[in-house]
Amino acid sequence: MSALRNMLARIEAARPPGGPAVHLLAVSKGQPIERIAALAAEGQQHFGENYVQEALSKIAALAGRGLVWHLTGPLQSNKCAAVARHFDWVETLDRAKLVPLLAAARPPDRPPLEVLVQVKLDDETTKSGARRVEVPDLCRLVAAEPRLRLRGLMTIPRPDPDPSVRRARFAELHRLFQSLRRDFPKMDTLSMGMSEDFELAIAEGATEVRIGTALFGPRPTKR
Ligand SMILES: *Cc1c(COP(=O)(O)O)cnc(C)c1O
């Protein structure tokens, strides 16, 4: 079985009965274009990239194949215009000042940019992500922009050796997602879980898992 088929089977097996569909985002940062093209040929459509410069050359090289590109790395204000022009999704929106920059740069001939608000659950000052208390206002700002579409929430919990701690964090984000959906009923995406812990995230309601190494093997280049 190919790595892709194997991963899709593991995702399916982790789904609780009656749970939502779970989409696979293949995180291809550091991976060469040929590896991405090979997965695309097998039917994988959604890819995640962390570094804007690296992503732009991949997006250009693989144009015309119907691929859907998600920014999964930190978003900087000086990169907002390029991101809004070339990506389909931003999963790492974490501050208000980026909202008008993305909206203004989204080309009129493209559909609205799909946006996830990145939430920081642990109080680590260095890590990106909006604090819980900031999330409702950020959602309101995104939802008010016609060139952006609020799709949901994303998180990267601190790696904790205790799986029950991670699982509790995923459950916490799921509760926040459910409560925000009362005000933003079109939100349909809860992006959480990576190679090490995607099964736990799916058990707690993830609708998208972001998988790199478990799909591609170790990343060839380390930044
Ligand atoms: C790199 C990365 C991933 C994939 O991580 P793996 O452990 O290789 O599966 C997922 N999400 C984000 C935000 C990442 O930066």
Side-chain angles (χ1 to χ4, degrees):
M1 186 156 41
S2 76
L4 176 62
R5 295 294 134 207
N6 182 45
M7 179 51 63
L8 292 172
R10 286 177 68 190
I11 289 171
E12 200 51 38
R15 266 180 70 195
V22 181
H23 299 279
L24 169 62
L25 179 65
V27 178
S28 48
K29 64 182 179 209
Q31 302 292 348
I33 285 165
E34 309 80 70
R35 301 287 314 276
I36 302 172
L39 273 196
E42 275 193 84
Q44 176 64 27
Q45 204 183 5
H46 290 254
F47 291 90
E49 288 283 339
N50 279 37
Y51 310 102
V52 174
Q53 283 317 316
E54 176 187 336
L56 294 185
S57 59
K58 291 175 173 177
I59 293 170
L62 294 162
R65 297 182 201 218
L67 302 188
V68 181
W69 296 94
H70 297 229
L71 180 72
T72 46
L75 178 59
Q76 285 140 10
S77 49
N78 63 349
K79 295 279 166 45
C80 279
V83 168
R85 277 200 292 270
H86 299 285
F87 279 82
D88 304 286
W89 288 67
V90 168
E91 302 215 352
T92 49
L93 182 79
D94 64 356
R95 46 200 196 281
K97 75 166 201 179
L98 305 179
V99 173
L101 300 177
L102 289 172
R106 185 64 173 172
D109 61 339
R110 299 204 58 190
L113 184 66
E114 315 285 2
V115 174
L116 301 182
V117 171
Q118 183 181 351
V119 184
K120 171 167 61 181
L121 296 173
D122 329 279
D123 261 332
E124 290 170 286
T125 45
T126 54
K127 221 157 103 204
S128 44
R131 288 181 299 125
R132 276 191 73 119
V133 293
E134 302 166 329
V135 173
D137 279 344
L138 212 38
C139 287
R140 252 184 289 286
L141 285 176
V142 174
E145 289 286 354
R147 300 306 297 141
L148 306 179
R149 188 146 57 201
L150 178 68
R151 295 295 296 270
L153 305 179
M154 177 274 213
T155 198
I156 315 172
R158 183 173 44 202
D160 193 294
D162 180 354
S164 68
V165 172
R166 284 204 214 183
R167 186 161 177 163
R169 293 262 153 65
F170 292 142
E172 189 186 338
L173 192 71
H174 185 244
R175 282 194 298 274
L176 179 62
F177 179 65
Q178 294 290 39
S179 78
L180 285 166
R181 280 220 281 190
R182 289 195 281 271
D183 287 333
F184 307 102
K186 289 187 191 147
M187 289 203 332
D188 61 1
T189 304
L190 184 56
S191 171
M192 55 185 196
M194 320 202 311
S195 293
E196 291 295 313
D197 54 18
F198 70 91
E199 280 132 331
L200 295 176
I202 292 172
E204 294 299 343
T207 70
E208 180 191 286
V209 291
R210 307 179 308 267
I211 310 292
T213 47
L215 192 55
F216 289 99
R219 279 180 275 283
T221 56
K222 189 118 182 104
R223 302 222 182 183

